[in-house]
Amino acid sequence: MNEKLELDKRKAFILATVVYEYINTAEPVGSVTLTQKYNLGVSSATVRNELAELESLGYLVQPHTSAGRIPSDAGYRTYVDRLMQPESLTKDDTRRIRDQFREASQELGDVIEQTTRLLSGLSGNLAIAVAPSRDTHAFKHVQLLWLSSRTGLAIVVTSGGVGAQRVFEWTTEVNADELTRLSNALNSRFGGRVMEEIGPADIDAVCAELGTSAEIREAVRGVFATARQTDEPEIAAAGAQNLLDQPEFHDLRKLRAILRIVEEQRTLYDLIADELAAENAAATDAAHVRIGHELRADELSECSVVTVPYRFGDRGVGMLAILGPRRMPYGRLIALASGTARSLGDHLNDVEIR
Amino acid sequence: MNEKLELDKRKAFILATVVYEYINTAEPVGSVTLTQKYNLGVSSATVRNELAELESLGYLVQPHTSAGRIPSDAGYRTYVDRLMQPESLTKDDTRRIRDQFREASQELGDVIEQTTRLLSGLSGNLAIAVAPSRDTHAFKHVQLLWLSSRTGLAIVVTSGGVGAQRVFEWTTEVNADELTRLSNALNSRFGGRVMEEIGPADIDAVCAELGTSAEIREAVRGVFATARQTDEPEIAAAGAQNLLDQPEFHDLRKLRAILRIVEEQRTLYDLIADELAAENAAATDAAHVRIGHELRADELSECSVVTVPYRFGDRGVGMLAILGPRRMPYGRLIALASGTARSLGDHLNDVEIR
DNA sequence: GTTGGCACTCTGATGCGCCGACTGCTAGCG
DNA sequence: CGCTAGCAGTCGGCGCATCAGAGTGCCAAC
């Protein structure tokens, strides 16, 4: 039960070393390699005994009888949770992240995409970014514009940029003043609110006060609904070609599974959705690692995902993620993802519409 | 010289059959296969003689001495230009295209992306779509909005949707009326123009008339410049995982080259840019096919690209493209791309902001 | 010009043997 | 009791030879 007892100091060191070595070489690790490359102070025979025990405890597996050991999900898990040393960003990484955000876009969607490019480049894996739910954006401004006597343009601006815009054609003539008055009323009523606090009933109330026509009311409802729309959260991914470097993806079926996941926004989002939900509840900024079967997807049983939330003001939470083989440099990737998330949050707060 | 003489009827038929058979089977085609599967009326020995001649003429090549023939670039070219029969869309394809556009988005960027998903799904290859240059969009509306005494929001709406929006912070206080008057002046001056006709000088002229401050003038210039921005044309691609099915991409290096091209918008755009330029000059709506080395990219020497323009009103021209192995069903893909381009153009005209 | 026949070539699959890497086990040592 | 040296055993991967199959080119005959 108690892992402290289960893993004495030497076992822990050997396990850590096996994981470390396997991450670096992609080759199963044997007892001789361990005694030669690392200063264990015991003979390979002793290491063999330890390896056998670690295997029976479930931390290591053998691909076949006469091969070295590779870590199991549990082995990676223990390594990540208790054995590895946390890393911090290198000077070079810090600089590259800073440079990237210095000239980053103001549009949420563009920033998300640029961030995935950055993170995939730095990490050498597939990077994913999910934008904060639009529901948590702050309402900034709504404007109904008179285009012609029967057409108008409705624009909702939120802290994420232009939340929605749409052109409407009406069956009856519309007065420009009427639109302006309605805009002003909506703005003063909703100013300072978060989008999820603005429902159809609130809109109806304002419209009723001004005696707005049903047609225009529908238009306003519609554009607000679009601005809140949460069923297709903004998401971006980049760096799939990085995965080709990893020997575990030379198998075409695995590669195919990954590519399918990347191209289908839905599955990609599902991959991160539970972390996002957990994050919204827990509200810590820590990176999380999910390993192999913990991802609950057969195609990803040989992959790991590092996720880290980023904060958009004091409201929204988005997610950055790195997807790669289980054999990934966890310490470095956690540092990269955390650093990027922090910079991303800072950037978004800087450019946020005040 | 004269290809009509160079290729008598029988040679033409044999060449067409070899290409057709190779496209379907991905296996080099031999003389026996030809005589057995197709009714040639001559023996395999005769076919062998013909094949040898077609090879010396440059239409076919042999992967190795004791294999069948496969088409060369020239062989495919002749097949596409003169031998194959044009195909038309199947009922099922027509329906799927129609259904897709019936519920398509209003935003240009979203439509482009949805179109690539549709076209990659239908074609089983990689689909690419380039949006019309933003320069050719019609100016619709500009609005400067007062947010607070020192901040404002500028929005430019074009026929492509919201062309640009940006929040500005000013060093001096700004009057809401001033912004409204400037908006009105700009709208009446620029109404009906195409974006490329609106330069900084035009903006300066309007600002001068109203005595607008330099700071606000810069803001207006900036947002118009963003709305016209053409250096990064909107582009989307989808369906890379389809290519994994093709045996020619089981080679990881080739796959890598393709994935890199797809993830880098720049190279992807370059692939289509010359066709786009040619199209702007020629103004025909025909599909074009480029085969193997005609693409002028070593990584793509075993690929072909079908491109077809689509028209956005009477102004802009965008491009749809399908990228796949040279061994692609040209007739079907040309029909699919053309049909999709037509529907896409129709859809864009329907939802265009009037 | 066409055809049947034949010798020849080359690929890809299959099977075999060997090498190397690693293990588990056992006996012995401190 | 833990550690170690040594050894037999196991298994994957690699190189090599073999073989069947597919296809060609050529030639002599029709």
Side-chain angles (χ1 to χ4, degrees):
Chain A
M1 275 282 112
N2 187 329
E3 298 206 358
K4 285 273 154 59
L5 287 179
E6 198 172 288
L7 284 186
D8 60 41
K9 211 155 186 177
R10 193 170 68 191
K11 276 201 187 57
F13 182 72
I14 290 179
L15 174 56
T17 310
V18 170
V19 177
Y20 180 81
E21 180 74 8
Y22 183 62
I23 284 175
N24 286 319
T25 63
E27 298 287 333
V29 185
S31 57
V32 181
T33 316
L34 285 174
T35 46
Q36 279 175 357
K37 285 183 77 167
Y38 302 89
N39 195 1
L40 294 182
V42 291
S43 77
S44 65
T46 308
V47 175
R48 275 201 288 285
N49 290 332
E50 296 284 52
L51 289 177
E53 271 192 80
L54 282 167
E55 181 170 355
S56 74
L57 290 170
Y59 295 108
L60 298 176
V61 293
Q62 250 178 321
H64 55 260
T65 327
S66 72
R69 269 34 183 236
I70 66 176
S72 66
D73 281 359
Y76 283 115
R77 170 55 58 204
T78 307
Y79 177 76
V80 168
D81 288 348
R82 297 180 35 221
L83 304 178
M84 77 176 183
Q85 343 210 6
E87 291 180 38
S88 45
L89 286 178
T90 66
K91 284 241 160 42
D92 195 51
D93 291 335
T94 311
R95 190 179 45 73
R96 285 178 64 183
I97 293 174
R98 180 165 33 86
D99 290 353
Q100 167 77 23
F101 282 108
R102 184 177 295 154
E103 53 191 36
S105 161
Q106 292 197 15
E107 268 295 332
L108 183 57
D110 294 342
V111 176
I112 295 296
E113 199 185 306
Q114 286 164 12
T115 304
T116 60
R117 286 178 203 281
L118 170 71
L119 195 51
S120 70
L122 290 172
S123 71
N125 283 283
L126 178 74
I128 307 166
V130 181
S133 156
R134 306 177 78 179
D135 246 11
T136 62
H137 290 184
F139 169 81
K140 287 300 169 187
H141 200 88
V142 58
Q143 192 75 30
L144 300 168
L145 295 173
W146 185 92
L147 294 181
S148 73
S149 62
R150 290 245 167 88
T151 59
L153 172 67
I155 298 176
V156 173
V157 182
T158 72
S159 50
V162 170
Q165 56 84 21
R166 187 133 127 243
V167 174
F168 294 94
E169 289 181 69
W170 292 303
T171 54
T172 58
E173 293 211 354
V174 169
N175 182 297
D177 277 352
E178 184 186 349
L179 294 180
T180 308
R181 262 182 296 125
L182 178 55
S183 301
N184 292 340
L186 290 166
N187 279 319
S188 63
R189 177 71 64 96
F190 297 151
R193 289 204 200 173
V194 171
M195 287 304 287
E196 65 185 334
E197 296 166 9
I198 303 175
D202 303 302
I203 294 167
D204 290 354
V206 177
C207 289
E209 276 176 35
L210 277 85
T212 307
S213 76
E215 215 171 25
I216 295 181
R217 193 184 60 214
E218 282 312 307
V220 176
R221 277 193 187 198
V223 75
F224 268 91
T226 307
R228 285 189 53 179
Q229 183 177 42
T230 68
D231 54 339
E232 255 203 29
E234 221 155 348
I235 191 165
Q241 88 271 21
N242 286 333
L243 298 178
L244 293 182
D245 288 337
Q246 310 293 348
E248 29 268 277
F249 292 113
H250 289 188
D251 178 351
L252 281 180
R253 277 175 325 188
K254 288 173 196 157
L255 193 58
R256 215 185 143 67
I258 303 277
L259 281 187
R260 193 170 42 231
I261 286 172
V262 173
E263 287 210 355
E264 275 184 35
Q265 312 231 334
R266 187 76 235 160
T267 48
L268 198 56
Y269 179 71
D270 289 345
L271 192 61
I272 324 216
D274 29 347
E275 286 293 325
L276 199 53
E279 179 52 36
N280 273 320
T284 70
D285 278 356
H288 276 199
V289 176
R290 278 174 305 159
I291 297 164
H293 289 93
E294 294 170 13
L295 290 168
R296 308 198 167 288
D298 279 351
E299 308 100 325
L300 300 177
S301 62
E302 296 187 25
C303 296
S304 284
V305 173
V306 175
T307 50
V308 53
Y310 62 89
R311 310 215 159 258
F312 187 16
D314 53 353
R315 290 175 308 279
V317 177
M319 276 281 168
L320 289 187
I322 300 177
L323 170 68
R326 278 189 305 185
R327 200 181 52 71
M328 58 165 61
Y330 291 95
R332 172 170 163 73
L333 296 196
I334 289 170
L336 279 173
S338 303
T340 306
R342 209 172 319 115
S343 294
L344 172 58
D346 292 349
H347 174 78
L348 287 175
N349 290 329
D350 282 351
V351 303
E352 187 188 9
I353 295 171
R354 270 165 290 260
Chain B
M1 272 281 113
N2 186 330
E3 297 206 359
K4 286 271 155 61
L5 286 180
E6 197 171 289
L7 285 184
D8 60 41
K9 212 156 185 176
R10 193 171 66 189
K11 276 201 187 57
F13 183 71
I14 289 179
L15 174 55
T17 310
V18 170
V19 177
Y20 180 81
E21 179 74 8
Y22 184 63
I23 284 175
N24 287 319
T25 63
E27 299 286 334
V29 185
S31 57
V32 181
T33 315
L34 285 174
T35 47
Q36 279 176 357
K37 283 182 78 167
Y38 302 89
N39 196 0
L40 295 183
V42 290
S43 77
S44 65
T46 308
V47 175
R48 275 200 289 283
N49 291 331
E50 296 283 53
L51 289 177
E53 271 192 81
L54 283 168
E55 180 170 356
S56 74
L57 290 171
Y59 295 108
L60 298 176
V61 293
Q62 248 179 320
H64 54 84
T65 329
S66 72
R69 264 48 178 226
I70 65 177
S72 66
D73 281 359
Y76 282 115
R77 169 54 58 203
T78 307
Y79 177 75
V80 168
D81 288 347
R82 297 179 34 220
L83 303 179
M84 76 177 184
Q85 346 207 4
E87 290 180 38
S88 46
L89 288 176
T90 66
K91 283 241 160 44
D92 194 51
D93 292 335
T94 311
R95 189 178 46 72
R96 285 178 64 184
I97 294 174
R98 178 164 36 85
D99 291 353
Q100 167 77 24
F101 283 107
R102 184 176 294 154
E103 54 190 37
S105 161
Q106 293 198 12
E107 269 295 332
L108 183 57
D110 293 342
V111 177
I112 295 296
E113 200 185 306
Q114 286 164 11
T115 304
T116 60
R117 286 178 202 280
L118 169 71
L119 194 52
S120 71
L122 290 173
S123 70
N125 284 282
L126 178 74
I128 307 166
V130 181
S133 156
R134 307 176 78 178
D135 246 13
T136 61
H137 289 185
F139 169 81
K140 287 301 170 186
H141 200 87
V142 57
Q143 192 74 30
L144 300 167
L145 295 174
W146 184 92
L147 294 181
S148 75
S149 63
R150 291 244 165 88
T151 59
L153 172 67
I155 298 177
V156 173
V157 181
T158 72
S159 51
V162 170
Q165 57 84 20
R166 185 133 126 244
V167 175
F168 294 94
E169 288 182 70
W170 293 304
T171 55
T172 57
E173 294 212 352
V174 169
N175 182 298
D177 277 353
E178 185 186 349
L179 295 180
T180 308
R181 261 182 296 124
L182 179 54
S183 302
N184 293 340
L186 291 166
N187 280 319
S188 62
R189 178 71 64 96
F190 298 151
R193 289 203 199 173
V194 172
M195 287 304 287
E196 64 185 333
E197 297 167 7
I198 304 175
D202 302 302
I203 293 167
D204 290 355
V206 177
C207 290
E209 276 176 36
L210 276 87
T212 308
S213 76
E215 214 170 26
I216 295 180
R217 193 184 62 215
E218 282 312 308
V220 176
R221 277 193 188 197
V223 75
F224 268 91
T226 307
R228 283 189 54 179
Q229 186 176 40
T230 69
D231 55 338
E232 256 203 28
E234 221 156 349
I235 192 166
Q241 87 271 20
N242 287 332
L243 298 179
L244 292 182
D245 288 338
Q246 310 293 348
E248 30 269 276
F249 293 112
H250 288 188
D251 178 352
L252 281 181
R253 276 174 326 187
K254 288 174 197 158
L255 193 57
R256 217 184 142 65
I258 302 276
L259 281 187
R260 194 171 39 234
I261 285 172
V262 173
E263 288 212 353
E264 275 184 35
Q265 312 232 334
R266 188 75 235 162
T267 48
L268 197 57
Y269 180 70
D270 289 346
L271 191 62
I272 323 214
D274 30 346
E275 285 293 326
L276 200 51
E279 179 51 36
N280 275 320
T284 70
D285 278 356
H288 276 200
V289 176
R290 278 175 304 160
I291 297 164
H293 290 93
E294 295 170 11
L295 290 168
R296 309 199 167 286
D298 279 352
E299 307 101 324
L300 301 178
S301 62
E302 297 187 24
C303 297
S304 285
V305 173
V306 174
T307 51
V308 54
Y310 62 88
R311 312 217 156 256
F312 186 15
D314 52 353
R315 289 175 310 278
V317 176
M319 275 282 169
L320 290 186
I322 300 177
L323 170 67
R326 279 191 303 185
R327 200 181 53 70
M328 57 165 60
Y330 292 95
R332 173 169 163 72
L333 296 197
I334 289 171
L336 279 174
S338 303
T340 306
R342 209 173 318 115
S343 295
L344 173 57
D346 291 349
H347 174 77
L348 287 175
N349 290 329
D350 281 352
V351 303
E352 188 186 8
I353 295 172
R354 271 163 292 258

